[in-house]
Amino acid sequence: MRTACGAVMVVLALVLGACGESSEDKAQAAVCDARSDMAKQVDELKGMTAATVTTDAVKQNLDAIRSDLKDITAAQSDLSDDRRSEAQAANKAFSSSVRGIVSELGTSLSASDAKSALATALQQLATTYQSTFAPLSCD
């Protein structure tokens, strides 16, 4: 009886072990989690206006987006060729847009003009997200 129970336990362990996620599945999940968090961060940024925007809030959201972009980059090597190409293209376009917005904001402006420019830039960031990462399927 003990041998039969032991054999059943070994078979059960093998079956359950075979149900693990592949590295591609894990990478896809990481990309989708990062994409979802990025959407949340972009929505928060998009909701800021010249009257409500603060440096700390923007920095916090941008730091989270930067972390999400790093997570996507780290996962890319385990994605299928098609998914890797999509993720790389989205990551490149979105990162380029963020750099452009940051450099644009680096010009000297008055405090009120800077807040207005920042609010506009955050709207541009949301538009860029919609055209780059939003189309990536996570179904």
Side-chain angles (χ1 to χ4, degrees):
M1 183 74 167
R2 233 181 231 179
T3 306
C5 285
V8 168
M9 295 297 266
V10 169
V11 169
L12 185 57
L14 289 173
V15 168
L16 291 176
C19 293
E21 286 184 306
S22 71
S23 59
E24 185 176 344
D25 291 340
K26 289 177 185 176
Q28 179 65 25
V31 168
C32 288
D33 289 347
R35 176 186 168 271
S36 176
D37 185 63
M38 207 179 319
K40 177 183 165 241
Q41 302 304 324
V42 168
D43 283 346
E44 288 179 12
L45 289 168
K46 185 173 74 171
M48 295 180 190
T49 65
T52 64
V53 69
T54 66
T55 304
D56 288 341
V58 171
K59 184 179 178 334
Q60 184 178 15
N61 290 111
L62 290 178
D63 285 346
I65 289 171
R66 188 175 301 115
S67 176
D68 293 330
L69 290 170
K70 286 180 184 177
D71 290 347
I72 290 170
T73 299
Q76 286 175 1
S77 64
D78 290 328
L79 294 172
S80 68
D81 290 343
D82 290 344
R83 295 295 292 171
R84 185 178 320 114
S85 294
E86 290 174 354
Q88 286 173 335
N91 205 343
K92 183 178 179 181
F94 191 75
S95 296
S96 175
S97 178
V98 170
R99 282 190 300 274
I101 289 168
V102 169
S103 70
E104 190 177 303
L105 292 174
T107 61
S108 83
L109 299 169
S110 70
S112 63
D113 287 345
K115 280 192 166 201
S116 177
L118 182 57
T120 300
L122 296 176
Q123 290 295 324
Q124 290 173 343
L125 187 65
T127 300
T128 301
Y129 173 83
Q130 287 302 318
S131 68
T132 56
F133 278 104
L136 283 179
S137 174
C138 283
D139 296 333

